């Protein structure tokens, strides 16, 4: 813990925003946390050591960044809004953060490159709601992250953490399961944000696991997932017919599913990530 680092309060957050003439952008999901207890709760959940390196997507005005830096961890913060990214180093230094403890990258997180993320990093972020799922998948796909604690809309958290057989299970749940085990840790009231969003948020934890296969397996598995959920009410022998026919034109979809150890009459919602992988491997003839 670095006691010299102080957190941002609600009043100061408004003052920094006013000094930048900032009108929070809905398009960029700019709902800033103005409650220091919430930032501390996120950081406790992340269970950081001072040797940790954290990637924070969307640091905004810096409230979570300061709570992260207070643990002694180093932070790479990726912010798309140029005004916020330009102001952040000043805010962090004013609050006692050592200059060499953070790096601010002005960029779209979806364009972030692997080289910016040291192996074994953690992802800790209050994510912009409109890109939360693609950002999570993009960062996980780098295979540099051990753990993540992210704040997302509660509905998105439920979808990401859903297991086969549940109504929320779908493309995001299956794809995230390729990389990590996801679970919901807590619900967060909309009141901790400025401006107050219309929906509640939740904290989601992700623990990454060993890759289930090679890059080509992942690509094909994701194609199978997309096709299967594109017609989620249909049996797999119908929903996957076009895809299977494309790769194995001489076999029926029922045969391919049987070869993969999957019942042709099952629907996407009951198949776990290993089942989707088994189908992908048959399509890749491995
Ligand atoms: N972390 C801050 C907090 O908790 O108060 C701000 C969180 S706010 C929900 C989301 C932040 O992500 C905003 O600062 C927004 O400008 C930024 N953002 C939006 N889209 C982004 C993207 N594609 N890449 C990086 N940052 C993005």
């Amino acid at each position: 813990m670095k006691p010299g680092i102080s957190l941002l309060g609600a009043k100061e957050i408004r003052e920094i925003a006013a000094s930048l003439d900032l009108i929070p952008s809905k398009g960029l999901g700019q709902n800033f946390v103005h409650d220091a207890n919430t930032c501390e709760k996120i950081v406790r959940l992340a269970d950081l050591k001072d040797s940790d390196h954290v990637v924070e997507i969307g640091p905004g005005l810096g409230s979570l960044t300061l709570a992260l830096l207070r643990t002694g961890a180093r932070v790479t913060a990726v912010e798309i809004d140029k005004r916020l990214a330009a102001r952040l180093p000043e805010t962090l230094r004013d609050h006692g953060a050592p200059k060499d403890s953070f790096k601010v990258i002005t960029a779209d997180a979806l364009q972030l490159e692997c080289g910016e993320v040291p192996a074994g990093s953690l992802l800790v972020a209050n994510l912009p709601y409109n890109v939360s799922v693609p950002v999570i998948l993009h960062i996980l796909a780098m295979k540099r992250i051990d753990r993540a604690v992210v704040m997302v809309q509660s509905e998105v958290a439920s979808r990401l953490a859903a297991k086969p057989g549940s109504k929320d299970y779908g493309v995001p749940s299956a794809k995230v399961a390729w990389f990590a085990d996801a679970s919901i840790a807590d619900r967060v009231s909309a009141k901790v944000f400025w401006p107050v969003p219309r929906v509640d948020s939740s904290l989601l934890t992700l623990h990454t696991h060993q890759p289930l296969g090679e890059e080509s397996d992942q690509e094909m598995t994701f194609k199978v997932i997309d096709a299967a959920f594109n017609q989620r009410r249909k049996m797999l022998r119908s929903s996957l017919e076009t895809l299977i026919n494309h790769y194995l034109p001489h076999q029926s979809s029922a045969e391919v599913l049987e070869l993969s150890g999957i019942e042709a009459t099952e629907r996407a919602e009951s198949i776990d990530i290993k089942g989707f992988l088994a189908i992908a491997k048959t399509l890749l003839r491995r």
Side-chain angles (χ1 to χ4, degrees), residues 7-8 33-44 62-65 67-68:
L7 301 186
L8 280 175
V33 174
H34 65 173
D35 170 52
N37 290 331
T38 303
C39 294
E40 285 179 316
K41 185 198 256 185
I42 298 173
V43 166
R44 268 199 308 280
S63 40
L64 178 58
T65 323
L68 291 167

Side-chain angles (χ1 to χ4, degrees), residues 36-280:
N37 290 331
T38 303
C39 294
E40 285 179 316
K41 185 198 256 185
I42 298 173
V43 166
R44 268 199 308 280
L45 206 55
D47 193 20
L48 297 171
K49 296 186 294 297
D50 58 9
S51 55
D52 281 327
H53 176 263
V54 176
V55 177
E56 185 192 4
I57 303 300
L61 296 164
S63 40
L64 178 58
T65 323
L66 281 165
L68 291 167
L69 288 167
R70 202 149 77 142
T71 66
R74 283 168 306 117
V75 175
T76 297
V78 185
E79 173 59 60
I80 200 170
D81 186 322
K82 292 192 176 79
R83 294 163 306 169
L84 294 177
R87 171 61 196 251
L88 187 60
E90 185 185 328
T91 306
L92 301 180
R93 282 195 305 267
D94 285 354
H95 281 258
K99 240 192 358 236
D100 58 359
S101 62
F102 61 86
K103 177 175 174 187
V104 179
I105 300 178
T106 311
D108 179 347
L110 293 170
Q111 307 296 327
L112 187 67
E113 302 205 347
C114 243
E116 302 286 3
V117 182
S121 295
L122 283 91
L123 167 67
V124 185
N126 169 19
L127 290 172
Y129 76 98
N130 47 345
V131 287
S132 51
V133 172
V135 164
I136 291 171
L137 287 172
H138 178 66
I139 306 274
L140 289 176
M142 293 176 177
K143 304 195 178 80
R144 299 289 178 110
I145 296 287
D146 278 356
R147 272 179 302 130
V149 177
V150 288
M151 181 138 73
V152 292
Q153 276 186 32
S154 293
E155 194 193 313
V156 174
S158 302
R159 277 195 264 133
L160 287 168
K163 305 292 176 259
S166 103
K167 70 172 175 25
D168 291 326
Y169 186 63
V171 172
S173 352
K175 288 187 179 174
V176 159
W178 178 270
F179 304 105
D181 302 314
S183 53
I184 297 176
D186 212 343
R187 228 176 147 91
V188 179
S189 156
K191 287 188 204 134
V192 307
F193 298 98
W194 169 72
V196 178
R198 256 179 278 157
V199 289
D200 276 350
S201 296
S202 290
L203 289 168
L204 186 82
T205 58
L206 299 161
H207 290 266
T208 56
H209 49 59
Q210 289 299 315
L212 298 176
E214 295 163 17
E215 207 75 28
S216 53
D217 296 323
Q218 182 202 315
E219 250 174 57
M220 186 60 87
T221 303
F222 280 21
K223 280 185 191 167
V224 174
I225 292 169
D226 286 332
F229 281 105
N230 197 24
Q231 295 176 292
R232 64 181 292 149
R233 285 180 209 291
K234 290 201 173 165
M235 293 177 191
L236 290 173
R237 67 171 176 229
S238 310
S239 58
L240 294 181
E241 194 171 13
T242 308
L243 185 75
I244 289 175
N245 196 31
H246 178 76
Y247 288 97
L248 299 176
H250 303 299
Q251 277 174 291
S252 74
S253 55
E255 278 167 355
V256 170
L257 289 163
E258 194 184 325
L259 277 172
S260 316
I262 304 285
E263 293 278 343
T265 52
E266 297 260 36
R267 292 177 172 79
E269 63 208 19
S270 60
I271 308 298
D272 68 7
I273 189 63
K274 291 192 174 144
F276 287 120
L277 170 62
I279 301 169

